[in-house]
Amino acid sequence: MGDRLRAYIDAHLSERLTLRVLSGALRVSPRAAADAFYRDQRISMGEYVRDRRLRVAQVLLAAGVKVEAASLCAGFGSRTTLYRSIKKRTGVTPRCV
């Protein structure tokens, strides 16, 4: 189940991904989804989503995509959220990435 959840997350990364949405996609309870994902991946779904979104955004930024477009493509709700996430993870702003 963890692999199916990971595949769903990867395919829908630019969308809003909540535990309820993810568990509903597989028709299981939120608790069962969270437990199965952690057991299979050794990371929480929330951490996985943040990591994937950050990686996608960093690749886009390195390719010259503007911050606003990169934030939307990677699934961040806004440019501000992307700035905060990259700054927290790397210690620098997206312009320096």
Side-chain angles (χ1 to χ4, degrees):
M1 182 184 323
D3 288 335
R4 289 180 25 220
L5 282 164
R6 187 174 48 91
Y8 184 88
I9 291 167
D10 291 343
H12 297 88
L13 199 58
S14 64
E15 300 171 18
R16 182 181 164 113
L17 296 172
T18 63
L19 183 55
R20 178 168 279 161
V21 168
L22 295 169
S23 62
L26 270 64
R27 295 190 172 109
V28 297
S29 74
R31 179 65 183 207
D35 288 348
F37 190 89
Y38 187 83
R39 185 175 50 252
D40 291 352
Q41 305 299 319
R42 295 291 181 222
I43 187 172
S44 74
M45 280 191 280
E47 290 173 290
Y48 181 78
V49 169
R50 279 188 297 279
D51 287 347
R52 291 289 298 138
R53 286 182 171 163
L54 278 171
R55 278 190 241 137
V56 168
Q58 288 174 323
V59 167
L60 292 171
L61 292 168
V65 175
K66 294 187 183 280
V67 174
E68 186 73 33
S71 67
L72 295 176
C73 288
F76 289 95
S78 69
R79 178 180 60 186
T80 304
T81 305
L82 174 60
Y83 264 92
R84 237 182 285 137
S85 296
I86 289 180
K87 176 94 171 161
K88 183 177 181 180
R89 174 68 55 87
T90 66
V92 297
T93 62
R95 290 185 184 154
C96 299
V97 172

